[in-house]
Amino acid sequence: MKRGIDTLIPVLGDQLSLGLSALRDADPDTSVILMMEVEEEATYVRHHKKKIAFLFAAMRHHAQALRDAGWEVDYIRLDAPENSDSLTGEVARAIERHRPARIIATEAGEWRLRHAMELWPDKFGVPVEIREDDRFIASHAEFDAWADGRKQLRMEFFYREMRRKTGLLLTERGEPEGGQWNFDKENRKPAARDLTMPQPLSFAPDALTQEVIALVADRFADNPGTLDGFDFAVTAQDAERQRAHFLRYALPQFGDYQDAMLTDVPFLWHSLLSPYINCGLLDPLDLCRRVEASYRAGHTPLNAAEGFIRQIIGWREYVRGIYWREGPDYTARNFLQAKRPLPAFYWTGQTDMHCMAQAIGQTLQNAYAHHIQRLMVTGNFALLIGADPADVQRWYLEVYADAYEWVEAPNVLGMSQFGDGGLLGSKPYASSGAYIDRMSDYCGHCRYDVKARTGPKACPFNALYWDFLVRNREKLGSNQRLAMPYRNWDRMDADTQRALQAQAKAFLAGLDEG
Ligand SMILES: Cc1cc2nc3c(=O)[nH]c(=O)nc-3n(C[C@H](O)[C@H](O)[C@H](O)COP(=O)(O)OP(=O)(O)OC[C@H]3O[C@@H](n4cnc5c(N)ncnc54)[C@H](O)[C@@H]3O)c2cc1C
Ligand code: SF4
């Protein structure tokens, strides 16, 4: 039997964890949890249809899990007639309904919502307690303590701190297992087609999810991507099944083939867990402990276990730290002053460049592409053509089921587009077609010739790569890690240089004409 409502606890779409900080020590008898599907969140960028369907379906199932755990949940569906379409509007309406004495929330994952929540106490005249999101391994204070006073914020050193903090893959003497912190050099094998690859699990939508899919098909018909074949896990239990499946069948070879790409093989040995980790269905530290246990049980080699754990307690935590430390204007940076709009084929996949058609086509189909497709294919191309980083960020935020600004922006603006001038990466991830050829079978299926630099069949990445370096020499010329390519350029004869630049210019003009 409910006593009066004392506490209103808004739970956002990426806070789908039973152990969320806002719920800790709250009394289910005097609290009500508010969950909201609102137009504002679904439309601030044009999210992939599968991304919206995944999040709404996961939210609806999480509401059920909370109720099963004894909580009262006030759930506002997108099509509820009085839905005010904004989070703040829905909190205001919930205050009218429940008259709580206070609000407790877990901090939002991005600046836009953080600012909105900061206005709540004045707006509502109710005390608002915002708690830190402790599903991350490093607190804001810990990241700042690590970063303060350092000239360069390199992921590798932060990662070692996180290894020490968690004790993951350390010997009893506190040293890294295998005598080194990082086995990345062993993780660069191209994959061969005849290897038996694991298939990810597929989760058939239940009635609740089907309802959401119909809603999204109706309300977001013009958004990118397709709903066909929707098979995401939408409960913690199913996300745990995908985790167990990955640990058993894919993790042992995750390291070796982490950077590989194959035609029509979208997932390879990747975990596909990022949407579940990022919305709260899986706990990142728990996942890493299971990976470590798999290594200690002799099921997973060290290069795979270390490689995977580094992505989570290293890269994932590090980009989050950078996002909050650099402030809300981080996303507006444009070190290279790149201005070209993103070509229209990013929304269709219709291009003769086979690597791009594969990466974009799979993205539109699955709301997923793996790291190297994002970084070295679509990201690399956008960087080479000088695409506006704001446009590029918007695209990545729209099309991936795991995309939230805190993780997308540093990866796109910092790592991929060098828009922060080298805060996150020591050099731009720019490359000619040779890298794609080495790590994939794409070039064998392409109408372009990856070995040719000029002429009608020349791989566009080749001339664009040199043009990128020449165009940005003032800003990049003193970067020690680019000294070799600039030397190579200077050694080319003038005719070759002219031909490469003319090739790039003609290609870019073709892009601009559409
Ligand atoms: C341009 C670009 C944009 C990206 N945008 C996003 C994004 O919006 N959301 C997102 O979660 N990741 C993003 N990433 C990182 C990475 O590509 C995805 O996390 C990964 O592809 C997700 O697939 P997976 O779960 O199969 O990953 P796996 O390859 O199996 O890796 C394991 C886990 O490590 C974590 N991880 C790996 N690399 C990173 C990274 N660089 N940053 C943060 N976490 C990482 C993820 O949680 C991932 O699930 C981006 C990378 C690039 C280069
Ligand atoms: S030849 Fe060039 S465009 Fe074609 S797949 Fe290879 S890298 Fe991509």
Side-chain angles (χ1 to χ4, degrees), residues 246 254 258 267 269-275 277-278 287 307-308 310-312 315-317 319 368-376 378-379 396-397 400-409 411-413 415-417:
F246 165 70
F254 170 85
Q258 209 178 328
F267 307 124
W269 286 267
H270 291 276
S271 69
L272 319 186
L273 294 177
S274 52
I277 305 170
N278 292 353
L287 173 60
F308 188 86
R310 175 162 25 91
Q311 307 310 314
I312 306 259
W315 279 111
R316 185 172 186 273
E317 293 286 326
V319 297
Y368 177 85
H370 70 68
H371 188 71
I372 293 301
Q373 291 177 306
R374 297 187 205 197
L375 186 63
M376 299 311 294
T378 44
Y396 279 92
L397 195 55
Y400 291 114
D402 59 21
Y404 302 85
E405 192 178 87
W406 66 265
V407 55
E408 168 275 321
N411 270 300
V412 176
L413 180 86
M415 190 188 305
S416 166
Q417 302 300 298

Side-chain angles (χ1 to χ4, degrees), residues 41 47 49 56 61 78 116 144 146 158 163 261 374 436 441 447 468 486:
E41 293 311 302
H47 301 287
K49 296 186 191 81
F56 284 175
H61 284 88
L78 189 73
D144 285 342
W146 172 77
F158 171 73
R163 287 273 292 279
M261 298 175 280
R374 297 187 205 197
I436 295 175
D441 68 353
R447 97 151 174 79
F468 167 80
Y486 277 115

Side-chain angles (χ1 to χ4, degrees), residues 323-335:
Y323 174 77
W324 287 114
R325 187 173 168 83
E326 289 303 305
D329 74 341
Y330 179 72
T331 54
R333 294 185 197 172
N334 190 351
F335 176 70

Side-chain angles (χ1 to χ4, degrees), residues 353-356 433 436-437 442-443 446 448-450 459-461:
M353 292 176 283
H354 183 67
C355 53
M356 292 289 283
I436 295 175
D437 192 30
Y442 289 158
C443 302
C446 188
Y448 293 110
D449 176 359
V450 71
C459 165
F461 282 81

